Amino acid sequence: MNKHIKIALFFLGFIVIAGCGEGGPKTYNVSGTVFYKDQPVDGAMVVFSPSDGGLNAVGTTDAAGKFVLRAAQGSKSWQGTVPGNYEIGITKRINTAPVPAKEEMEAARAAGEDLARKYPVVYKDLIPVKYNNPSESGLTATVEAGKENTFEFNLTD
């Protein structure tokens, strides 16, 4: 083989190998809708937890109850998620604790008080807690390569 061709192939191979780690895993778009008592759920967090390896993926519902997932690993994230079987968790909470005035918070901070202890967060679940934990919710989904991965979750009491 010609010496110049060997050198060109070497550098081409180096460029291909050097570029392989940047793109991340092959993901597929995943979307869906969440309903509770036949009404769309706004502001719920939807978690797809892999049953068989893979990446966790998270989305937040809009006013129509629609979500789009993003997979994450460390500080990187990707649109969609990798194919596989998933257990689903869905959470919607609000903080019901009174919110102190800004001046009161600043004074407590300046005095070195433990703000988390002084002003604890008190959550109220707006959908049944049985849906919070993916491994206990009973909700599942299979994400398939090259398919339309759209899911609907109808939550009940």
Side-chain angles (χ1 to χ4, degrees):
M1 188 182 292
N2 180 320
K3 178 181 175 182
H4 295 299
I5 293 175
K6 286 181 183 178
I7 292 171
L9 288 174
F10 171 79
F11 281 108
L12 179 60
F14 180 78
I15 291 169
V16 169
I17 291 169
C20 283
E22 298 299 319
K26 178 65 178 156
T27 59
Y28 296 88
N29 290 335
V30 178
S31 61
T33 311
V34 176
F35 295 96
Y36 174 53
K37 295 183 178 178
D38 298 321
Q39 297 297 312
V41 179
D42 183 16
M45 181 172 31
V46 180
V47 177
F48 275 48
S49 180
S51 304
D52 49 7
L55 300 172
N56 284 317
V58 180
T60 302
T61 59
D62 63 15
K66 297 188 178 300
F67 66 89
V68 175
L69 291 185
R70 287 194 65 83
Q73 187 172 42
S75 63
K76 296 182 179 184
S77 70
W78 303 272
Q79 182 74 30
T81 194
V82 297
N85 297 312
Y86 291 85
E87 297 173 324
I88 316 303
I90 303 173
T91 305
K92 176 155 182 178
R93 294 178 174 158
I94 59 169
N95 179 7
T96 60
V99 178
K102 182 179 177 182
E103 297 80 19
E104 184 180 346
M105 287 283 286
E106 289 173 355
R109 184 176 292 117
E113 295 184 51
D114 182 348
L115 298 179
R117 241 175 236 214
K118 184 167 181 144
Y119 308 109
V121 176
V122 179
Y123 287 111
K124 176 182 178 188
D125 286 286
L126 299 179
I127 59 175
V129 296
K130 67 183 178 183
Y131 297 113
N132 290 355
N133 187 335
S135 64
E136 297 174 2
S137 72
L139 303 173
T140 61
T142 300
V143 175
E144 298 180 76
K147 302 277 182 154
E148 184 176 324
N149 293 293
T150 303
F151 304 97
E152 186 173 295
F153 300 104
N154 295 297
L155 311 181
T156 60
D157 284 329

